[in-house]
C-alpha cells in the first residue's frame, strides 16, 4: 500500500484513493462514521496557514459552509471542559511550554508571512517613517519581512519566550539602529506596563501594533484584556492594531475536537500536545474585546478558504479572522 499523508502527527485516517475532505473525515471518524479504505498517516505543520504551491489551489468563501458549521457545533457540544483544577494546572505551564517550543524549533517551524502586505495595505513597501510594534513576535516571521519593505521605519518586537527574542535578534535584517526586541509577557497585568515603558518610553509613540496569530495563544479573560489595554497604552491617537488569527471552526479547531482525548480548557479554547494553547475567535467576541478597551472597529472580516492539494487529493477548510482596530 502506498501511504498518503495529511493532518496532524500521531493520528491515522483512512484513504480510498478518492478526494478526501479532511474536515469531514476527522468528524466522521470521531462520530463513528469512518469508511474502510487505505490507512493514512498524519503529519505535523498544518495548523497555521498552509503554503500555497504549484500542487495546491485556494477557493475563497464568504463564510464556512452550513454543513461544516453543523459538524463543528456537534463536535463542540460533545466535548466537555477540563475541570478547574486541571485547567489551572495546564495553564500554569503554558509560558514555559512556549519557551521549550522555540528552544526546539527556533525559526524553523513557521514560514515568513510574506503575504501580509497583500492582506494589509498598511504594510506595503513605503518610505514613510512609521513605528511598528509586534506583540508575540515569535521568531520574527511577520516583522522580519516588513523590515525589508520599510527602510525608514522603526520596529519593536516582544515575546514572552527569551529564546524567541534571541532568534529574532540574530536575524541579519535586525539592525540595532532601528530595531529593538525584548522579553515581555504582554498578558501580565502586574509587570508588562513597566517593561513596556522601559523599552518604548512613557509616551504613546507606536503607529501600528501587529497581532498576527498571537492573541489566540493568550488565555481568554483578564490576560487578553491586558494585552489589548497595553496596545492602547503605547499607540498614538489614530494608531491601528492589525489583527489576523484563527476563526471559530477552523480546521485546527476540528483537529482539537477529534483527538482521542481532547484537552478543552474552555469554550473555543484548547491545549496542544506540546503544552501551548489556542483560542478560536468569533466576530462578536473579537469586537467586544477591543471596543471594551477603547478601540474603534475599522473592519472585521472572515477569511474562509478551501485548500485543495491535487497531488495528495485532499481538501482542507481554513477559517481566519482579520481586523483593524483604531485608537481614537
Amino acid at each position: 500500500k502506498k501511504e498518503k499523508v495529511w493532518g496532524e502527527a500521531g493520528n491515522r485516517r483512512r484513504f480510498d484513493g478518492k478526494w478526501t475532505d479532511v474536515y469531514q473525515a476527522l468528524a466522521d471518524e470521531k462520530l463513528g462514521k469512518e469508511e474502510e479504505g487505505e490507512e493514512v498517516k498524519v503529519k505535523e505543520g498544518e495548523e497555521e496557514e498552509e503554503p500555497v504551491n504549484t500542487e495546491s489551489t485556494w477557493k475563497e468563501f464568504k463564510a464556512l459552509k452550513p454543513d461544516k458549521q453543523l459538524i463543528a457545533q456537534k463536535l463542540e457540544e460533545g466535548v466537555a471542559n477540563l475541570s478547574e483544577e486541571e485547567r489551572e494546572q495546564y495553564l500554569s505551564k503554558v509560558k514555559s511550554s512556549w519557551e521549550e517550543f522555540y528552544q526546539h524549533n527556533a525559526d524553523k517551524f513557521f514560514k515568513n508571512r510574506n503575504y501580509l502586505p497583500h492582506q494589509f495595505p498598511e504594510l506595503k513597501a513605503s518610505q514613510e517613517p512609521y513605528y511598528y510594534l509586534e506583540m508575540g513576535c515569535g521568531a520574527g516571521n511577520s516583522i522580519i519581512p516588513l523590515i525589508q519593505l520599510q527602510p525608514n521605519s522603526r520596529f519593536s518586537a516582544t515575546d514572552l519566550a527569551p529564546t524567541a527574542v534571541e532568534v529574532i535578534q540574530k536575524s541579519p535584517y535586525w539592525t540595532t539602529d532601528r530595531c529593538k526586541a525584548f522579553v515581555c509577557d504582554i498578558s501580565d497585568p502586574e509587570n508588562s506596563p513597566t517593561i513596556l515603558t522601559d523599552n518604548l518610553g512613557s509616551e504613546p509613540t507606536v503607529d501600528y501594533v501587529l497581532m498576527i496569530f498571537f492573541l489566540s495563544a493568550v488565555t481568554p479573560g483578564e490576560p487578553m484584556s491586558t494585552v489589548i489595554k497595553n496596545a492602547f497604552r503605547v499607540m498614538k491617537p489614530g494608531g491601528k492594531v492589525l489583527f489576523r488569527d484563527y476563526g471559530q471552526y477552523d480546521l485546527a479547531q476540528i483537529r482539537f475536537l477529534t483527538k482521542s482525548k481532547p484537552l478543552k480548557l474552555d469554550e473555543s479554547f484548547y491545549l496542544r500536545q506540546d503544552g501551548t494553547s489556542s483560542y478560536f475567535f468569533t466576530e462578536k467576541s473579537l469586537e467586544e474585546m477591543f471596543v471594551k478597551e477603547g478601540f474603534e472597529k475599522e473592519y472585521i472580516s472572515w477569511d474562509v478558504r478551501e485548500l485543495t492539494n491535487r497531488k495528495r487529493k485532499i481538501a482542507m477548510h481554513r477559517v481566519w479572522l482579520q481586523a483593524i482596530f483604531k485608537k481614537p
Side-chain angles (χ1 to χ4, degrees):
K1 293 181 180 179
K2 183 178 179 182
E3 193 172 49
K4 304 285 183 178
V5 296
W6 54 271
E8 186 178 1
N11 299 322
R12 286 186 176 273
R13 305 288 179 258
R14 312 294 292 179
F15 185 83
D16 59 7
K18 300 178 182 179
W19 277 85
T20 300
D21 182 332
V22 178
Y23 205 103
Q24 186 72 55
L26 286 166
D28 284 352
E29 181 175 327
K30 186 70 175 181
L31 300 173
K33 300 178 182 178
E34 185 183 16
E35 297 180 359
E36 286 301 314
E38 185 179 345
E39 240 183 16
V40 178
K41 185 179 180 181
V42 185
K43 69 177 182 179
E44 283 187 90
E46 293 180 343
E47 262 197 18
E48 224 191 74
E49 296 186 273
E50 285 91 349
V52 178
N53 52 44
T54 56
E55 299 171 355
S56 303
T57 304
W58 283 121
K59 291 182 181 178
E60 298 189 26
F61 300 90
K62 292 182 179 179
L64 187 64
K65 294 178 182 178
D67 62 321
K68 298 294 187 293
Q69 292 187 36
L70 289 173
I71 289 170
Q73 289 167 5
K74 188 172 183 179
L75 289 170
E76 178 84 17
E77 291 168 359
V79 177
N81 293 353
L82 295 174
S83 68
E84 188 63 29
E85 182 180 352
E86 290 174 311
R87 183 179 187 273
E88 294 306 314
Q89 178 184 349
Y90 283 122
L91 289 177
S92 67
K93 301 176 182 178
V94 166
K95 186 173 181 178
S96 60
S97 294
W98 279 113
E99 172 61 12
E100 291 173 8
F101 175 88
Y102 285 107
Q103 286 179 358
H104 178 71
N105 295 290
D107 61 349
K108 305 296 189 244
F109 192 83
F110 300 116
K111 296 181 182 296
N112 281 350
R113 299 180 177 114
N114 296 310
Y115 62 84
L116 287 177
H118 299 285
Q119 300 293 332
F120 297 103
E122 294 83 357
L123 302 181
K124 289 185 177 180
S126 173
Q127 298 297 317
E128 294 296 320
Y130 296 120
Y131 187 9
Y132 294 89
L133 168 65
E134 183 175 14
M135 293 182 167
C137 62
N141 302 97
S142 297
I143 204 166
I144 294 296
L146 183 57
I147 292 171
Q148 302 168 60
L149 294 175
Q150 307 232 2
N152 297 319
S153 292
R154 293 185 298 134
F155 302 89
S156 287
T158 183
D159 199 282
L160 58 74
T163 297
V165 173
E166 291 173 8
V167 169
I168 201 171
Q169 288 172 329
K170 292 176 182 177
S171 167
Y173 300 104
W174 196 258
T175 57
T176 55
D177 59 328
R178 63 190 186 106
C179 301
K180 184 174 188 177
F182 56 96
V183 177
C184 179
D185 180 356
I186 297 290
S187 68
D188 180 352
E190 184 176 348
N191 298 311
S192 59
T194 300
I195 297 173
L196 288 171
T197 298
D198 291 344
N199 286 276
L200 305 178
S202 58
E203 297 298 319
T205 56
V206 176
D207 295 295
Y208 296 103
V209 170
L210 275 61
M211 296 187 188
I212 309 297
F213 290 97
F214 155 63
L215 199 59
S216 58
V218 178
T219 303
E222 184 183 17
M224 275 193 187
S225 296
T226 299
V227 169
I228 298 169
K229 284 186 175 79
N230 280 328
F232 194 91
R233 182 181 296 113
V234 303
M235 292 170 62
K236 296 177 181 176
K240 298 179 180 181
V241 173
L242 309 183
F243 174 96
R244 185 173 173 84
D245 217 321
Y246 297 113
Q248 188 182 48
Y249 304 149
D250 175 53
L251 177 59
Q253 183 175 3
I254 302 307
R255 288 184 179 132
F256 281 119
L257 290 169
T258 53
K259 290 179 181 294
S260 57
K261 294 182 179 179
L263 297 176
K264 184 180 176 184
L265 299 167
D266 209 335
E267 195 72 21
S268 298
F269 187 44
Y270 309 89
L271 191 77
R272 296 188 180 92
Q273 294 287 346
D274 62 6
T276 62
S277 58
S278 185
Y279 181 80
F280 295 82
F281 295 91
T282 65
E283 184 175 349
K284 181 181 178 182
S285 67
L286 182 64
E287 181 174 358
E288 288 177 349
M289 289 177 195
F290 278 86
V291 170
K292 179 182 177 183
E293 305 305 337
F295 282 98
E296 296 176 350
K297 180 186 75 172
E298 190 160 295
Y299 77 82
I300 300 177
S301 65
W302 291 95
D303 188 348
V304 181
R305 308 187 186 194
E306 180 185 83
L307 172 62
T308 55
N309 187 297
R310 295 185 295 277
K311 182 178 180 180
R312 293 158 64 194
K313 289 189 176 181
I314 61 172
M316 294 177 285
H317 291 79
R318 304 312 310 263
V319 182
W320 303 299
L321 270 180
Q322 183 166 308
I324 293 182
F325 297 97
K326 184 177 180 180
K327 179 176 178 178

